[in-house]
Amino acid sequence: MNDFKSPAWDANLYLKFADSRMRPALDLMGRLDPANAVRPGHAIYDLGCGAGNISRVLAERFPQAPVIGIDSSEDMLAKARSQSADPRISFSKGDLTRFEPTLPPSILYSNAAYQWVEGHIDYFPGLLKLLPSGGQLAIQMPRNHEAPSHALMRTAAEAGRWRDKIAKVKGIRTVHDPARYFDALKPLCSDLEIWETIYQQTLTGKDPVAQYTAGTGLRPYMQVLDEGERAGFYDAYCKLLAEAYPTRPDGITLFPFRRLFIVARRA
Ligand SMILES: C[S@@+](CC[C@H](N)C(=O)[O-])C[C@H]1O[C@@H](n2cnc3c(N)ncnc32)[C@H](O)[C@@H]1O
């Protein structure tokens, strides 16, 4: 069903914007109900845990339970392991399309990962079914693919000699309309909350939006190009971004970013 081949992740590049990426992760966590959240012998999973920043916050928020981070990137897992000494937190290599919990889960949490999985919505009912009655599924995905930050990647991709190489690249998958997730999950839930937030991110420095996307959505494009093409493509993308996201006189670039949140409780 899934033909995902994980491109190499660079943990340090991704963590450059750790603060603004952490905010939605905490907003998602804030909607989890802490009352009787984890059954004895059960665990909390952080699916697509990356460098484990959020796994550590989950462990603080739910001190009674083991937290298991799952990710397919060796680079991210190495960073995660190097940053955590808490024996309650562990990290395992795994593919979200074939997720099988080793301990029964009471909470399945995922921040900014499933947008990389083709057909991700088809996996969500299966995740809910792994939970006991009252167990919670919490998922956040960026839904910014129609914004200039992402649309202009495709414009720049089509505007140069790199066009054919980039045409074959599969980037971030479309994150659907909220109603589609509601329809897919509602029959299995006692409570279901879905919402969107547009964060007004404040960036500074040279080509700040490209610097931001370089750690995520831009990666698959850059990875297929040789050095010269990469510089040309990146330059074309930055020029388009400068018009779409002008730098203000105070040096700040506002970068609005839409994200979709799902918090579901198993019936
Ligand atoms: C944007 S990062 C988010 C990391 C972390 N959740 C956070 O919020 O900081 C996306 C992560 O999803 C992981 N990922 C993407 N597709 C995956 C898959 N099919 N299986 C496992 N991990 C995957 C990547 O390796 C990457 O670490």
Side-chain angles (χ1 to χ4, degrees), residues 4 9 14 48-50 71-73 76 94-96 111-113 116-117:
F4 177 84
W9 281 80
Y14 180 73
C49 62
D71 205 282
S72 55
S73 159
M76 287 294 201
D95 187 333
L96 299 185
N111 185 64
W116 291 103
V117 175

Side-chain angles (χ1 to χ4, degrees), residues 1-2 19-20 38-39 50 132 137 141 175 186 188 193 205 208 220 262 266:
M1 168 161 202
N2 188 285
D19 286 351
S20 55
V38 187
R39 295 186 178 196
L137 171 69
M141 293 174 288
V175 174
K186 188 67 185 98
L188 296 163
E193 188 184 10
I262 301 169
R266 178 84 164 104

